[in-house]
Amino acid sequence: MDNDVNFCNYLTAMLQSYGVKVQAAFLGEQALEIFVQWQPDVLLNDISSSKEDGYTLIQQVRTLTGERGKAVPAIALTGAVTEDIYQRSLLAGFSLCFAKPVVINDFVAVLGILVIANNLHLR
């Protein structure tokens, strides 16, 4: 979920150029519905959405994944990462926190590591 349509479209296009399958959402309710139906390997979520903050969505996702027994790695995205924001993100249930815009090569590498680590953990 992202509140910046341009950034979301950019990130979607960049990730797809690496072969990553992406579903985008602009509202928390829509994002949760997509998450439930699609069950992604990694969740990317803007924590500073103007309509609904990303902390609400991650709490809903963590409740769902707790019931199902599968923890999905989640990355918080925000305009600036301070120590407070980073700590709050981790405490809320995110795996990592990134400042926008992301360096796409590094970001894709991190996504790959999260997916591999999560798959090894589930075995």
Side-chain angles (χ1 to χ4, degrees), residues 18 24 43 80 83 101 117:
Y18 281 84
L43 172 70
E83 184 63 30

Side-chain angles (χ1 to χ4, degrees), residues 45 73-77 86 89-90 93-98 110-111 114:
N45 189 8
I75 297 176
L77 297 166
Y86 189 77
S89 298
L90 294 181
F94 287 99
S95 308
L96 295 169
C97 186
F98 269 80
V110 169
L111 289 176
L114 281 175

Side-chain angles (χ1 to χ4, degrees), residues 35-103:
F35 178 85
V36 169
Q37 292 175 0
W38 188 38
Q39 298 182 3
D41 291 324
V42 178
L43 172 70
L44 308 178
N45 189 8
D46 185 346
I47 57 174
S48 58
S49 177
S50 59
K51 294 184 172 133
E52 179 179 350
D53 77 24
Y55 297 110
T56 302
L57 179 63
I58 194 63
Q59 290 171 349
Q60 294 169 329
V61 165
R62 291 298 176 230
T63 298
L64 282 173
T65 56
E67 293 168 0
R68 294 181 180 165
K70 180 185 176 196
V72 174
I75 297 176
L77 297 166
T78 187
V81 178
T82 64
E83 184 63 30
D84 289 341
I85 290 172
Y86 189 77
Q87 291 300 322
R88 182 176 177 204
S89 298
L90 294 181
L91 290 172
F94 287 99
S95 308
L96 295 169
C97 186
F98 269 80
K100 298 188 291 186
V102 298
V103 176

Side-chain angles (χ1 to χ4, degrees), residues 6 9 48 59 106 109 116:
N6 292 330
N9 290 337
S48 58
Q59 290 171 349
D106 297 343
I116 291 168

